[in-house]
Structures are given as C-alpha cells and as structure tokens.
Amino acid sequence: MKIIGSVKELRQAIKAEKLQAKSVGFVPTMGFLHEGHLSLVRAAKENNDIVVVSIFVNPTQFGENEDLDAYPRDLEGDQAKLVGEGVDILFYPTVEEMYPQGYSTYVDVEGDMTGVLCGSSRPGHFRGVATVVTKLFNMVAPDRAYFGQKDAQQVSVIERMVKDLNMDLEIVPCPIHREADGLAMSSRNTYLSEKERKDALVLSASLFEAKDKILAGETSAEKIISGIVDKISTVDYAIIDYVEIVDALSLERIDTLKGTILIALAVKVGKPRLIDNLRLEV
Ligand code: AMP
C-alpha cells in the first residue's frame, strides 16, 4: 500500500493507474477505522481495479465546541487494517496540504436538505463536508465513491451535490454496520465508558421498536417519535439532540408515514454525541 501525503504525488500515482485503464474506487474517512469503514473498503474492492482510502480529520466540518482536537486517531492501526484489506493507496494529507494559506473556496448545498437533522444542530457542518469531499473528488478522480448510510444525511447531501455540479462519478451508499448487540459502529464509540456503552443500546433498540410498530400499521410520525423519545429518556443522563422522521429522498419532515422514510436521531450519551437511523419502506 502506498501512503501519500501530497496532492501532487497522489495525482501522479492515480494518473499512472488510469493510463492502464484501471477503475478507481474511493472511500473517504476520518480514520480510527472500524468494521463499518472496512465494509465500505470491501465494497470498493469488489467493483474497482484499485482502491484509494483517505484519512483526514477535516477541521471545516467541526463546530467551535465540537471534538476536533479530541477526535480519536490511530494511524498505525488504520494502516495495518487497510493493508489487510488490500487497499492500494492511503491518502493522508495534513491540514496545510488541504487548506493552504489563503484558502477561500467553499461548497454549500443550500435549502431544506441541510436545514434539518444534523444540519440544524451543527451549523456549517455540511458546508465543511461538501467542501472537503469536492476537493477529495478533484484529487482522486474516482469512478465510484463509497459512503455509509450511518451518515444518511451526508449521503443525500453528497448525492445532491454530485448531481448539481455534474461531477462525473457514482456515489455508492453502503448499509449501516452494527455491533452484534445493535449499536451502530462509530469511531466516537471509543469515548463511551462501560456503563454508557450499555446504555447507548437504547438508541438502536428504540429504532428497532419503532420499525416493529410501523410494520404493525402505525402511520403517525408524532406517535413513533414520542415512543423513541420515551425509550431514550429511560437513560436519565442521555441528552436528545433530535429525533426526526423525514422523507428519505427529500429529507423533508413528514407527519404521515408513507413511501421511503428515514427515522434519524442524535443523542449525547455521556461525552459523545451519537447518531443512528433506520430507512424503511412503508
Ligand atoms: P467517518 O470516518 O466517521 O467520517 O466515516 C467515513 C465513512 O464511513 C462515512 O461514509 C461513514 O458513513 C462510514 N461509516 C462510519 N460508520 C459506519 C458504520 N457503522 N456502517 C457503515 N458505514 C459507516
């Protein structure tokens, strides 16, 4: 596996592969890799000649009071995992390489899509995401890029951006990878104490319970949301950021459950703010 820190070197390496008509699969990450990330890498391996993974903790997508400095990092461990998966190139740039002195250009996906869910509680977050992903796409020039449904709103925003800006690549959404007990895998799970780790199960459990109710015929978003809120509230120190039900395509809030819906939540369990969601055909 080549480990590359400079954009120039990355371009040269990818150009050489493309000259041999090789297709490029790309998995952008912030590192501290777990099985969720690796499931994206495996999907990329399956359908492309070479796989590029980036590890970059992107400062522009973190708010002022968020965990940028504390974000977990383990380059050595990540490298070993990526070598194990047969990744061809690891792009690991510095902040200065990505945002050199004088950097001034940002990509904003406007409108309702970024005004709900994480967009409303993390102002500027998706501007940072859209900007860094655009830059990475320009550097890697992938045929396909792989994103996890764990960050469902991110997938929608990136798909919108790719369409709006006529970017020439395919976005491949991949299912949420969960621990055996249901907790959605996340680099931030490492912040959880043993007790919080157990209590955090209430997030996925409340979504699975909601699914059962909907499959049994419940069509009121309000009732489903209040069921989820009640269940999460059994953990007295959990702080709910949002529990929302939206149309999975437009991300518009809905009152009556029909079509493809997305039930999404963000909850602070001790130190970390965790997100989870469930997509469902009603
Ligand atoms: P991150 O390093 O958290 O920025 O995540 C990098 C990519 O991995 C994003 O596309 C995430 O949606 C995806 N990802 C993170 N956790 C999971 C998971 N549990 N299952 C599937 N994909 C995930």
Side-chain angles (χ1 to χ4, degrees), residues 28-30 34 36-37 40 147-148 150-151 154 175-177 185:
T29 81
M30 298 205 298
H34 50 67
H37 295 113
L40 270 54
F147 290 87
K150 159 92 189 326
D151 300 86
Q154 174 169 277
I176 300 179
H177 215 81
M185 288 190 184

Side-chain angles (χ1 to χ4, degrees), residues 47-211:
N47 287 306
N48 300 276
D49 298 319
I50 73 156
V51 172
V52 180
V53 173
S54 64
I55 295 181
F56 180 61
V57 182
N58 174 37
T60 65
Q61 71 188 65
F62 285 77
E64 259 181 35
N65 299 315
E66 294 182 2
D67 59 345
L68 173 63
D69 293 333
Y71 197 83
R73 295 162 210 245
D74 175 19
L75 182 60
E76 248 176 63
D78 289 350
Q79 259 173 250
K81 285 174 191 160
L82 296 177
V83 168
E85 297 298 330
V87 166
D88 301 274
I89 297 176
L90 166 60
F91 181 49
Y92 181 68
T94 60
V95 173
E96 292 70 35
E97 184 71 9
M98 292 297 282
Y99 299 107
Q101 182 97 43
Y103 189 88
S104 319
T105 306
Y106 292 87
V107 180
D108 235 326
V109 177
E110 294 189 343
D112 296 344
M113 193 165 266
T114 49
V116 289
L117 312 176
C118 290
S120 64
S121 51
R122 300 183 72 187
H125 171 67
F126 286 112
R127 182 182 195 243
V129 169
T131 300
V132 81
V133 169
T134 299
K135 286 169 68 62
L136 289 166
F137 285 175
N138 282 337
M139 294 166 188
V140 177
D143 296 279
R144 294 175 199 87
Y146 296 77
F147 290 87
Q149 280 291 352
K150 159 92 189 326
D151 300 86
Q153 188 174 15
Q154 174 169 277
V155 175
S156 300
V157 169
I158 300 292
E159 281 177 334
R160 182 77 252 167
M161 177 186 85
V162 164
K163 202 170 172 189
D164 289 353
L165 297 182
N166 309 97
M167 293 178 173
D168 189 16
L169 80 160
E170 185 191 340
I171 300 300
V172 185
C174 301
I176 300 179
H177 215 81
R178 298 181 179 279
E179 303 282 359
D181 59 9
L183 182 70
M185 288 190 184
S186 164
S187 305
R188 289 187 169 101
N189 290 349
T190 189
Y191 297 137
L192 296 167
S193 70
E194 206 175 311
K195 175 170 182 350
E196 289 162 357
R197 167 68 183 76
K198 259 187 219 144
D199 289 341
L201 278 183
V202 78
L203 271 59
S204 52
S206 70
L207 288 172
F208 299 149
E209 210 173 273
K211 179 181 177 181

